[in-house]
Amino acid sequence: MTDLRMTGIGMTSARTRDRLVQRLREQGIANLAVLDRIRNVPRHIFVDEALGSRAYEDTALPIGFGQTISQPYIVARMTEALLEGAPSGAGALDNALEVGTGCGYQTAVLAPLVTHLYTIERVEPLLARARERLKELGIRNVRFRHGDGSLGWKAHAPYDGILVAAAPLTVPDALLKQLKVGGRLIVPLGPEGEQELVRFTRREQRMERESLGAVAFVPLLGGTA
Ligand code: SAH
């Protein structure tokens, strides 16, 4: 890949990206490490070339297989919610699990902010493409798995953080079980049109639940494709 493809020109240039970052700031994203990732991850390489000029608009875009790349505001908000309360800087969390890799954009935003990132996607060709993109970006601390993420990934549990990018109707028990004490699970819950983003924090004796507002995600599906 040429440097120009990575850095972008015109509608994918640094100026266009700065405008997106400014917009997210205005909408309340305050974590500087997160804003820095939004500025530096070339979102345009995760979408079809034909959509490249729209990559820094704050909207979801199609990535094939009936799926979408998440809206930058939502990626930033979820990442910030996951990191909140953790020490700042690189590797703020020791290990984290992502469910619903999609094109790998959220994965690329989060990867340098954790020591180990594990990510699961049920659609094999999407996973393959995400793996390729992250390699191109020189991101090496991510392990990929083709499977049903609602079961979590037991071998590397428990996690400091779990981020789910597709909406189940109710929170999968396996994911709650794979959280460390103090660990956080960020998950959109509910049927299409009525979803809310929820943060669960595992405490010694109980699970804390906070609502982070209304969202719109694709549904979390069982099995693989
Ligand atoms: N954050 C992603 C967007 C993902 S869209 C990005 O930035 O591109 C949600 C993804 O979750 C889709 O790719 C979908 O295939 C996947 N998905 C849905 N149910 C799943 C499940 N049970 N396990 C793993 N992935 C799932």
Side-chain angles (χ1 to χ4, degrees), residues 63 67-70 98-106 120-123 126 147-150 165-166 218-221:
I63 53 170
Q67 305 302 322
T68 54
I69 181 173
S70 307
E98 179 190 40
V99 174
T101 319
C103 66
Y105 175 68
Q106 164 82 72
I120 309 179
E121 169 58 53
R122 67 181 287 280
V123 181
L126 282 178
D148 179 357
S150 59
V218 296
L220 188 83
L221 303 173

Side-chain angles (χ1 to χ4, degrees), residues 9-53:
I9 49 169
M11 288 311 285
T12 58
S13 67
R15 252 184 67 202
T16 311
R17 297 187 202 185
D18 281 343
R19 240 177 272 139
L20 171 63
V21 168
Q22 187 51 36
R23 190 179 155 155
L24 299 191
R25 268 179 187 280
E26 285 162 13
Q27 288 179 285
I29 305 297
N31 185 316
L32 294 179
V34 172
L35 290 167
D36 212 52
R37 290 305 292 155
I38 298 286
R39 181 179 288 109
N40 291 318
V41 176
R43 190 167 183 259
H44 62 277
I45 72 161
F46 290 90
V47 297
D48 234 43
E49 229 166 297
L51 291 171
S53 64

Side-chain angles (χ1 to χ4, degrees), residues 72-224:
Y73 170 77
I74 289 294
V75 169
R77 182 76 191 96
M78 289 179 87
T79 311
E80 186 170 76
L82 191 78
L83 297 176
E84 226 162 18
S88 61
L93 298 185
D94 180 36
N95 68 340
L97 173 70
E98 179 190 40
V99 174
T101 319
C103 66
Y105 175 68
Q106 164 82 72
T107 323
V109 168
L110 180 58
L113 308 176
V114 304
T115 309
H116 303 283
L117 181 55
Y118 301 91
T119 187
I120 309 179
E121 169 58 53
R122 67 181 287 280
V123 181
E124 175 122 64
L126 282 178
L127 189 70
R129 218 155 62 190
R131 202 193 289 265
E132 229 174 82
R133 292 290 171 271
L134 268 74
K135 199 167 153 199
E136 282 181 289
L137 293 175
I139 293 173
R140 293 198 177 78
N141 61 333
V142 180
R143 302 256 315 255
F144 299 85
R145 180 178 189 166
H146 175 226
D148 179 357
S150 59
L151 307 172
W153 191 341
K154 226 173 163 182
H156 306 288
Y159 299 97
D160 292 302
I162 302 179
L163 195 156
V164 185
L169 294 178
T170 57
V171 59
D173 218 31
L175 297 182
L176 289 174
K177 284 204 176 108
Q178 292 179 22
L179 276 183
K180 281 180 199 169
V181 171
R184 287 174 285 267
L185 164 64
I186 314 294
V187 58
L189 289 179
E192 248 162 299
E194 301 170 36
Q195 295 165 2
E196 71 167 330
L197 190 63
V198 176
R199 173 167 57 192
F200 291 93
T201 306
R202 176 181 281 286
R203 302 293 178 202
E204 290 281 357
Q205 304 293 343
R206 66 193 169 88
M207 206 56 83
E208 192 175 296
R209 179 188 166 128
E210 298 157 82
S211 174
L212 305 177
V215 285
F217 276 83
V218 296
L220 188 83
L221 303 173
T224 54

